[in-house]
Amino acid sequence: MQLNAFRIAAAGLLTASLTACSSASDTTASAASAPPSPSGSASAAPSASAPVDIPGDALLQPSDVRGAEAQPLEKGEFSHVRPLRPCGDGRYPSDESRTAAVAMRYTVAGAEGGSTPTVVTEFVGLHTGTGAAEQLTAIQSGLKECPGGLGDGERRWVVLDSGDDSVVVRIDQRFSYADEAPSTVSHYAAASRVDNAVVVVADLGWENLGGSEELVRDLITKAEKRAAILA
């Protein structure tokens, strides 16, 4: 598959054309999503620097993501999964208890040699007190209250698995690529509370291709283990 800058940028139509989920209190996300870029050129922005409160060892490592290197996301990129915000730009009360946050992108190679890669994102937010537990509860409530739909500018949020401290979702969108007829593309995300931290991993696919539920389930388990050092 020929991958060039113009086709990579086309992937952003899937997110840039939608109403972004704003999180003004999130130190790393507050605006609309930007297209995936394997070059990581967007990551050079000073605003994307990871807070010192969250060390690199607390994030997914290359060995977890098929050798992919972490690239910081700019403020606002993929804000709907930083953390999960199915109800749009409304703030969670628990946002106020977050003391640090970091969001990264990984361009993960396909499972088979030469196959299409996928864009994976990771968000880690560190809270004080009971803030992390309250945020996970708010996310789960939001998924019930705002399932969304497949209309123009919408996302449909489908809960696949949910527990006291975790949730796995499918995020569907209608997407028209080039001159192709519109089709439904599915991305996957998982959120988990690890002590005082909320961890989110999402597979946002590639161009007009969807993500992998299996990959997300695998990576959230690895991300939980990495984030455990924050306790």
Side-chain angles (χ1 to χ4, degrees):
M1 179 178 181
Q2 183 72 26
L3 302 177
N4 54 55
F6 292 101
R7 284 179 62 78
I8 294 169
L13 294 175
L14 186 58
T15 50
S17 63
L18 300 169
T19 302
C21 302
S22 172
S23 56
S25 65
D26 180 349
T27 59
T28 60
S30 64
S33 300
S37 172
S39 66
S41 57
S43 66
S47 62
S49 299
V52 296
D53 306 87
I54 301 179
D57 288 347
L59 305 175
L60 289 169
Q61 301 299 302
S63 60
D64 300 324
V65 284
R66 302 172 188 164
E69 296 288 340
Q71 297 287 342
L73 287 171
E74 281 193 65
K75 185 175 182 179
E77 281 190 283
F78 305 121
S79 57
H80 65 294
V81 290
R82 298 170 58 175
L84 302 184
R85 294 185 182 274
C87 295
D89 59 3
R91 291 159 55 94
Y92 295 127
S94 51
D95 287 345
E96 301 300 326
S97 68
R98 186 166 48 239
T99 57
V102 62
M104 294 289 184
R105 149 205 332 260
Y106 307 81
T107 302
V108 181
E112 299 179 5
S115 58
T116 305
T118 193
V119 174
V120 167
T121 64
E122 180 184 21
F123 169 88
V124 178
L126 191 60
H127 294 255
T128 59
T130 59
E134 292 169 2
Q135 181 128 116
L136 210 292
T137 297
I139 288 171
Q140 293 174 319
S141 295
L143 289 167
K144 294 178 181 178
E145 297 167 4
C146 306
L150 293 177
D152 186 30
E154 288 187 300
R155 296 183 178 93
R156 181 175 65 189
W157 299 75
V158 180
V159 176
L160 303 176
D161 198 0
S162 182
D164 291 340
D165 293 316
S166 64
V167 63
V168 179
V169 300
R170 188 182 75 236
I171 308 170
D172 300 326
Q173 297 168 269
R174 292 288 289 173
F175 176 55
S176 180
Y177 183 78
D179 58 352
E180 298 175 358
S183 61
T184 300
V185 177
S186 298
H187 296 158
Y188 295 87
S192 179
R193 182 180 73 85
V194 181
D195 197 55
N196 291 327
V198 172
V199 180
V200 179
V201 172
D203 182 353
L204 303 178
W206 188 270
E207 297 185 350
N208 60 332
L209 301 179
S212 166
E213 178 185 350
E214 181 181 3
L215 179 60
V216 162
R217 288 182 180 275
D218 175 60
L219 292 181
I220 192 62
T221 299
K222 294 174 179 177
E224 288 169 346
K225 293 178 180 178
R226 298 293 184 185
I229 69 170
L230 297 172

